[in-house]
Amino acid sequence: PVSLEGGEHPEYANGALYEAHPAGAAEDGEARYEVVKPPPGVTVKELPGGAEEKVVGGTSYFAYGDTWYQPFYSGSSVVYMVVQPPA
C-alpha cells in the first residue's frame, strides 16, 4: 500500500493507484477498485508504463499524462515522488 496524508492506504500496482470501495458499496455487493490520480507527495517504486523522461531547468522528471514524477534515491533504490508539474 501507498501511504497518503490522512491515513489513506490506496493500492499501487502496474503503475496505477487504485482506491478500494468496500464490498456492499455496489449493487451486487462486490468490492470495487477505481483508478485515481496520485496526489503530490505520493512515492512509488515504479513508473507507469509509457512515462516519458522530461528535463526541465536541468532537473529530470518523468511525465505520464498530467502526472509528474521526480526520481530520487531511498537508500540504494530509485523511487519516484509525484510532484506538481514544473514551471
Side-chain angles (χ1 to χ4, degrees):
V2 175
S3 293
L4 302 178
E5 291 180 23
E8 299 173 53
H9 296 282
E11 296 295 322
Y12 188 83
N14 301 319
L17 191 67
Y18 296 89
E19 182 177 282
H21 298 279
E27 287 182 22
D28 62 6
E30 295 293 320
R32 296 279 189 259
Y33 293 88
E34 176 183 359
V35 176
V36 295
K37 181 178 177 178
V42 168
T43 302
V44 297
K45 293 180 181 179
E46 63 186 64
L47 293 168
E52 296 181 18
E53 184 171 12
K54 309 267 185 181
V55 177
V56 179
T59 301
S60 243
Y61 298 90
F62 290 87
Y64 181 76
D66 61 352
T67 302
W68 286 69
Y69 300 85
Q70 186 171 12
F72 67 94
Y73 281 97
S74 177
S76 61
S77 300
V78 175
V79 294
Y80 305 90
M81 180 182 289
V82 176
V83 296
Q84 294 290 340

